[in-house]
Amino acid sequence: MPLEGLQDPLRFSRKAPPCAVVIYGANGDLTKRKLMPALYRLAFEGRLAPGFAVIGVSRTAMSDDDFRDRMKHSVKKYLEDSPFDENLWLSFAKGLTYIAGDVGQPSSYGELAKHLEGVAAERQTGGNVLFYLSTQPSQYAQIAEGLGSVDLNTPPEGNSDAWRRIVIEKPFGHDLKSAGELNTRLQAVFRESDIYRIDHYLGKETVQNIMAFRFGNGIFEPLWNRTYVDHVQITAAESIGVEGRGAYYQEAGALRDMIQNHLLQVMATVSMEPASSFTSDAVRDERAKLLRAIRIMRPDQVAANSVAGQYGPGRSGSEQVPGFRQETGVDPQSHTDTYAAVTFLVDNWRWSGVPFYIRTGKALPKRVTEIAIQFRTAPLAMFRKATAGAEALPNVLILRIQPEEGISLRFASKRPGSGMQIRPVSMDFNYGSSFGERSPSAYETLLLDAITGDATLYTRQDMVEASWTAVQPILDYWSTQKFDFPNYAAGSWGPAASDEMLARWGHEWRRP
Amino acid sequence: MSCEVIKPDRILQQLAELWKDTARPEADADGDGLLRACAMTLVSFVDDEEDAMALGETLALLMREHPSRSIVVRLREGEDFLESRVFAQCWKPFGHRQQICCEQVEISATMNHLQDVAAVVGPLAVPDLPRLILLRSARIVRAGALRKILRLGDKIIVDSSLPGAPGFGELGALLESGHIAGDLAWTRITELRALIAQVIGDRVPKNIIIEYEGREAGAETRYLEAWLASGLPDTVVRLKGSGGQGTGVPAVVRVDDEITICLTPECAEIEIGQLKQHAPLAVGSADELLNAELKIVVHDEIFERVLNRITA
């Protein structure tokens, strides 16, 4: 711990303590595209300790220098909004080393332990190690057990201040049962507090801003309940198809890939109760409570409250695009959902009776992620005539997560002139224009959090299991259905059944 | 020489007209509209000799992170003079279609109108948002007129390392009277302080030597010494000048015999035993320093503690 007397929380940015980061899957796409650029950027900002080290592990045989060259190439290629500093790279690269090893080989863990001892002495990492598993999910438990077999899960003897943490990427299991099994095996080796389940959505600035918006302002929270909120829509739309990830996607589907993790976490952030403090467990307790309060659907309710879709050929902008079944690596008879929409209800006092509509899909008309909170209309339609007899447009608060991060509020305003003509107008807050400073990438935020031991934005075991519990009945029901896929054209807003699902509640999807 | 009567209401009216003009379809060629942004009032007092273009560039760069109603007061010697003009500062962020615009007011005045200027600037401040004063006028300091402008802002920002700027004594007096003050000489060493704190970690050093260039320690060096001494009460902190010519800024920091941090304008070379590491340090251009200082509109306890130690 740095000395208290030299701290200046008002001015200093958060710094990482000395440590080694061991990346399993160091030759993989995530390491190249996200992890290494994020670590380099942290170094660029002076947030890493001088004795920082990265140890890459994967099956490919290569020397330390080969690894450094590959990583340099990746950092140059994928570094966003940042210059590449050759001098800094030379210094950063001194801390990069590589071990070729098969996770199935017990001896590889012993080699890693020995290597780490050398790194700790040479780079003065203080014995702190963050294990980052960027591998096939099926290898998570095996790697954790391998690390445990050579005591890499606990601090070295005589250095009880050191820490050992493990980061895993989603998916955390492929259903409730397998998620439970994975948790059991991980927790047999690492303490739950040392297991960091990464959900990069929670690392996005705008998702974090939801909490600042809700709990840092006094005027919204009183309206944030069933009395004033009519319904909530959460949309995560991708304009592209699976684009080469067909084989992976075929096994996952939209419900598993997006709703079970990212979007339920977003929903929990939007609807959770205020935490007693902004500490990791206090915030996660509230998120977990909300996830547990989601009403579990009976099989007969699933059909009315969920919609599966798969895109067929269509047009994306001016381009003709193939259907999912025509994508490379996809079974021509695939029953995978590339679109999923679900109506969730939350059984607590705040949200009872308020539908939360969540939709996500590939090959939709545009890339957009947003949360729209639609408020109830004014109790008296005083200006009905002024709106040409139409129902008064309700107020909508839109929290835009990407691409134009910001917040908008739609409200009614009188048009200039002698008559009383009412027109909806939008009051916009744009993140980019109000804060010119660069936003860190989600991986920069989350890596720094893991290194500094802040798990607030990471998912806990009970949250994972609660979200699987919420989607499991849908997965079970869908697995028994033979869908008439494809049921929406690429470039459209999804299947008609999705509109019908909302129409049953008297609502309709926004067109973002 | 002109000496117009300046009324805040008229300037506010001009600002309102400016927005209407700027948003006219013919002025907004792309038709994507303008976003009017304002997060504070920034009042800059400068001497007329100061390079108007350099100041304009600094303020324009600041607008991206701190959109404000910017009021620049240019002070000059000589005959009776007072005039004002308003204009908009607009930019289009990369990849965005919409222009973002901030409003600027420029007032030129001779020193005998300082009181009038204060009476005009006060009502021009945007209600409910922070008001910050950037003091770069040596004229005001020489005339002992600092107090006349203090009530215009919630915080006053100076750069004590510049010739003619308020010194530690004047800054101390500001703090004593309850004002919030910021000194860019202090801001300039933020990155260095953070680096030293990180490198020292949990060690409690016995000795720290700060070496600087020149005969006399500059404001930054003195701040660094006072910060280390107040944060590490059991450590002996010493200054060592190189003699001869020099700006007095810190050049090397030695922590016991264990750590050496060599400073260049843009980076630091750190040696901890056998380990050598290169660390980038922010250059600290005028806009970057101001940018950092404008983010803080509360009393900065650590800065105040350090300044009190220097002035005690």
Side-chain angles (χ1 to χ4, degrees), chain A residues 65-118:
Chain A
D65 283 339
D66 287 342
F67 179 59
R68 288 173 188 138
D69 284 346
R70 285 189 195 202
M71 293 303 112
K72 182 180 182 181
H73 178 73
S74 304
V75 169
K76 278 183 158 176
K77 187 169 177 186
Y78 297 113
L79 190 63
E80 290 170 6
D81 337 315
S82 307
F84 182 82
D85 178 336
E86 193 70 42
N87 283 335
L88 175 65
W89 174 261
L90 288 174
S91 184
F92 178 75
K94 278 185 206 160
L96 304 188
T97 50
Y98 181 81
I99 300 180
D102 186 334
V103 298
Q105 281 240 316
S107 61
S108 69
Y109 299 98
E111 284 168 34
L112 175 65
K114 206 170 156 195
H115 187 80
L116 275 170
E117 267 179 38

Side-chain angles (χ1 to χ4, degrees), chain B residues 4-213:
Chain B
E4 60 181 81
V5 174
I6 300 181
K7 287 187 181 293
D9 286 345
R10 206 188 74 208
I11 294 177
L12 289 169
Q13 178 67 31
Q14 287 173 340
L15 286 172
E17 293 297 327
L18 175 78
W19 286 112
K20 282 184 196 164
D21 283 350
T22 317
R24 268 184 302 121
E26 53 270 36
D28 177 23
D30 297 336
D32 290 315
L34 304 171
L35 192 64
R36 181 179 177 179
C38 185
M40 64 177 62
T41 303
L42 175 62
V43 189
S44 308
F45 285 92
V46 298
D47 290 339
D48 199 40
E49 298 78 12
E50 179 158 342
D51 182 353
M53 193 176 284
L55 177 68
E57 275 174 22
T58 301
L59 293 176
L61 288 169
L62 281 177
M63 291 301 149
R64 285 155 172 75
E65 286 199 37
H66 300 286
S68 66
R69 174 174 291 172
S70 172
I71 303 169
V72 176
V73 181
R74 305 190 74 86
L75 294 166
R76 55 163 76 174
E77 302 293 347
E79 295 173 37
D80 221 18
F81 186 83
L82 186 62
E83 68 174 31
S84 71
R85 68 185 184 112
V86 300
F87 55 100
Q89 176 91 42
C90 298
W91 71 96
K92 195 181 276 193
F94 181 74
H96 291 240
R97 288 183 307 181
Q98 203 173 35
Q99 277 200 96
I100 302 170
C101 293
C102 295
E103 53 202 14
Q104 292 203 11
V105 179
E106 192 169 288
I107 299 171
S108 292
T110 38
M111 280 299 284
N112 60 323
H113 280 293
L114 195 56
Q115 199 67 48
D116 300 333
V117 168
V120 171
V121 169
L124 288 181
V126 181
D128 306 317
L129 291 176
R131 298 169 304 166
L132 292 105
I133 298 175
L134 171 62
L135 178 66
R136 288 173 35 155
S137 164
R139 270 196 187 99
I140 287 184
V141 181
R142 276 201 307 272
L146 212 49
R147 298 207 166 268
K148 283 187 181 166
I149 61 164
L150 284 177
R151 65 185 170 85
L152 298 175
D154 300 310
K155 175 175 180 177
I156 183 161
I157 301 167
V158 303
D159 186 345
S160 64
S161 67
L162 294 178
F168 292 134
E170 280 145 322
L171 278 172
L174 285 180
L175 296 188
E176 252 176 46
S177 58
H179 287 93
I180 303 178
D183 184 350
L184 299 183
W186 169 253
T187 323
R188 210 169 274 123
I189 59 167
T190 299
E191 291 286 311
L192 174 59
R193 291 191 300 120
L195 178 70
I196 292 172
Q198 187 186 31
V199 170
I200 288 180
D202 57 4
R203 297 172 181 86
V204 181
K206 288 195 177 71
N207 291 290
I208 297 179
I209 301 171
I210 304 166
E211 297 176 9
Y212 60 90
E213 295 164 351

Side-chain angles (χ1 to χ4, degrees), chain B residues 216-290:
Chain B
E216 202 173 327
E220 292 88 351
T221 304
R222 295 195 58 196
Y223 274 132
L224 190 61
E225 177 201 21
W227 171 68
L228 285 167
S230 67
L232 300 170
D234 299 327
T235 303
V236 178
V237 183
R238 287 186 296 133
L239 294 180
K240 188 176 165 190
S242 65
Q245 295 293 310
T247 54
V249 297
V252 181
V253 179
R254 297 185 196 279
V255 181
D256 293 330
D257 293 329
E258 221 179 328
I259 301 171
T260 307
I261 303 173
C262 292
L263 304 164
T264 66
E266 292 179 11
C267 69
E269 299 296 337
I270 307 154
E271 284 186 40
I272 310 171
Q274 297 298 309
L275 181 70
K276 290 183 181 176
Q277 192 78 7
H278 167 95
L281 281 180
V283 180
S285 60
D287 62 286
E288 285 169 340
L289 295 173
L290 271 171

Side-chain angles (χ1 to χ4, degrees), chain A residues 316-508:
Chain A
S316 174
S318 60
E319 188 189 13
Q320 181 69 31
V321 292
F324 178 66
R325 290 174 175 179
Q326 287 79 49
E327 298 270 10
T328 314
V330 174
D331 175 359
Q333 302 300 316
S334 171
H335 257 66
T336 301
D337 49 304
T338 63
Y339 176 98
V342 182
T343 303
F344 287 111
L345 291 168
V346 178
D347 286 332
N348 66 14
W349 276 47
R350 186 189 282 263
W351 295 115
S352 180
V354 177
F356 284 76
Y357 304 117
I358 300 186
R359 65 175 160 172
T360 182
K362 297 276 185 194
L364 298 182
K366 66 198 274 196
R367 173 176 169 260
V368 59
T369 303
E370 64 164 39
I371 302 143
I373 293 140
Q374 184 161 319
F375 292 90
R376 297 190 188 283
T377 49
L380 179 64
M382 192 188 292
F383 300 113
R384 181 180 284 265
K385 281 183 187 165
T387 51
E391 283 298 318
L393 281 168
N395 298 121
V396 184
L397 181 71
I398 297 140
L399 309 169
R400 291 188 308 275
I401 293 173
Q402 59 188 18
E404 289 270 337
E405 298 92 336
I407 296 169
S408 299
L409 176 66
R410 183 177 76 183
F411 60 99
S413 175
K414 180 188 174 299
R415 290 182 67 165
S418 57
M420 182 53 100
Q421 291 287 323
I422 303 295
R423 195 184 88 172
V425 291
S426 177
M427 190 157 66
D428 290 332
F429 155 74
N430 185 306
Y431 225 77
S433 60
S434 295
F435 299 100
E437 58 205 289
R438 173 187 176 275
S439 291
S441 73
Y443 277 94
E444 284 167 52
T445 303
L446 292 168
L447 277 166
L448 191 61
D449 281 355
I451 294 170
T452 55
D454 180 354
T456 309
L457 301 176
Y458 283 83
T459 315
R460 213 169 47 188
Q461 173 217 349
D462 53 342
M463 297 156 76
V464 172
E465 291 183 4
S467 54
W468 275 118
T469 304
V471 300
Q472 191 63 51
I474 306 170
L475 287 170
D476 291 344
Y477 178 79
W478 285 6
S479 68
T480 65
Q481 300 300 301
K482 187 159 174 54
F483 293 111
D484 187 17
F485 285 164
N487 58 355
Y488 72 99
S492 72
W493 275 108
S498 184
D499 296 327
E500 288 157 16
M501 179 178 82
L502 266 69
R504 282 193 284 279
W505 288 81
H507 298 140
E508 59 184 51

Side-chain angles (χ1 to χ4, degrees), chain A residues 182-252:
Chain A
L182 174 64
N183 284 329
T184 305
R185 290 179 68 185
L186 289 173
Q187 287 170 347
V189 184
F190 286 91
R191 292 179 304 182
E192 173 60 26
S193 59
D194 293 331
I195 302 171
Y196 287 66
R197 298 172 189 84
I198 201 164
D199 185 327
H200 73 266
Y201 250 65
L202 293 183
K204 288 178 185 288
E205 285 283 318
T206 32
V207 174
Q208 295 176 64
N209 194 35
I210 294 170
M211 280 192 281
F213 182 78
R214 286 190 60 196
F215 306 129
N217 294 293
I219 60 170
F220 300 110
E221 207 46 28
L223 308 177
W224 218 260
N225 56 54
R226 64 190 303 277
T227 310
Y228 299 102
V229 174
D230 185 66
H231 70 275
V232 177
Q233 297 187 14
I234 300 175
T235 300
E238 290 280 355
S239 57
I240 55 171
V242 291
E243 295 202 332
R245 289 175 68 232
Y248 158 76
Y249 199 81
Q250 192 165 233
E251 300 303 314

